[in-house]
Amino acid sequence: MHNLQHIFETHNFTLTNETTKGLEYQHQETEDIVYLLPTKEINLTVSPLSFDIDLSQSDGKIHSTALKRFPKRLNGGKQPISFGYSFNFQTEKELSEFLHTLNK
């Protein structure tokens, strides 16, 4: 996942937290947060409360304790869990193009 860091830096994101479950990046201007999660594909998760993007284009909601700075909701358990919207990319170019749209 660290091999993608240069792409985030190019699009004004700074690594702000790292766990085994994911990397947290914060946009330098808007201070919005995204998470890069370890999967076979490039998985970027955004908050439903940030960025002006069409969340219906996402690959769906994802719930994870790794999304510490995202809102929480119940998802079948007794306690609320953080959630966001997942976007999967096959290539670094696709990720870069998506991050570019977040800068607008």
Side-chain angles (χ1 to χ4, degrees), residues 15-55:
L15 181 64
T16 53
N17 193 25
E18 179 178 355
T19 68
T20 56
K21 294 183 178 184
L23 302 177
E24 177 186 277
Y25 287 92
Q26 184 171 23
H27 194 274
Q28 295 172 6
E29 295 170 15
T30 66
E31 297 185 359
D32 287 321
I33 301 292
V34 296
Y35 288 90
L36 182 64
L37 303 179
T39 61
K40 292 182 182 180
E41 298 175 318
I42 300 170
N43 182 295
L44 186 73
T45 305
V46 300
S47 170
L49 304 177
S50 63
F51 299 110
D52 186 19
I53 56 173
D54 183 3
L55 295 175

Side-chain angles (χ1 to χ4, degrees), residues 61 63 71-83:
K61 289 179 186 155
H63 297 81
K72 294 182 178 186
R73 70 183 206 126
L74 285 175
N75 185 42
K78 293 182 180 181
Q79 297 296 320
I81 187 168
S82 300
F83 78 101

Side-chain angles (χ1 to χ4, degrees), residues 57-77:
Q57 300 299 312
S58 78
D59 294 303
K61 289 179 186 155
I62 185 168
H63 297 81
S64 173
T65 56
L67 311 175
K68 294 186 185 301
R69 294 179 57 187
F70 281 8
K72 294 182 178 186
R73 70 183 206 126
L74 285 175
N75 185 42

